[in-house]
Amino acid sequence: VQLQASGGGLVQAGDSLRLSCTASGRTFRGYTMGWFRQAPGKEREFVSSISWKGDHSYYADSVKGRFTISFDNGKNTMYLQMNSLKPEDTAVYYCAADYSKSGSSWIADYWGQGTLVTVSS
């Protein structure tokens, strides 16, 4: 499966963005999918995840209440709605499927190419 992430951009603090991650080659069926981000000079961190049925979702404390993850089975696309963006949300955002933690690093069988989100103050 190939993942294509999009939707990043330059916004001001308080604005909203919606990221998309579309799978091609096969469906997301059976995978837990997630969004991760990596700011300059920092390790990649978990942002949010959703089960392929969409019935379970999790969020990092730093984005809880501001970000919403969702999945459209018909379009085979995962979304991350980001509201009330803050400068500290600035990072390259990656989508992933079939991921796990190895020590302090996140690994995944499938990563999207990343989309840059820049939030100015």
Side-chain angles (χ1 to χ4, degrees):
V1 60
Q2 291 184 322
L3 304 181
Q4 180 73 35
S6 62
L10 171 62
V11 297
Q12 293 186 333
D15 286 350
S16 299
L17 274 178
R18 188 177 77 159
L19 305 183
S20 301
C21 177
T22 300
S24 60
R26 61 159 292 170
T27 68
F28 280 123
R29 185 180 179 88
Y31 291 127
T32 293
M33 292 86 69
W35 287 98
F36 297 78
R37 67 186 182 186
Q38 188 165 17
K42 295 188 177 181
E43 291 190 342
R44 191 167 298 189
E45 64 175 4
F46 170 82
V47 175
S48 181
S49 66
I50 189 167
S51 60
W52 71 272
K53 290 184 178 180
D55 52 353
H56 296 288
S57 59
Y58 301 93
Y59 298 92
D61 288 342
S62 59
V63 306
K64 205 171 291 183
R66 299 187 298 121
F67 290 11
T68 303
I69 192 170
S70 62
F71 182 63
D72 185 329
N73 260 303
K75 295 182 178 180
N76 213 29
T77 298
M78 176 175 65
Y79 301 99
L80 185 68
Q81 177 66 43
M82 306 186 295
N83 298 330
S84 302
L85 283 161
K86 304 176 181 180
E88 50 264 43
D89 294 319
T90 295
V92 177
Y93 284 71
Y94 299 89
C95 55
D98 200 14
Y99 61 87
S100 61
K101 197 88 179 284
S102 177
S104 62
S105 300
W106 289 99
I107 59 174
D109 282 352
Y110 309 104
W111 287 105
Q113 85 284 8
T115 184
L116 177 63
V117 173
T118 304
V119 184
S120 63
S121 57

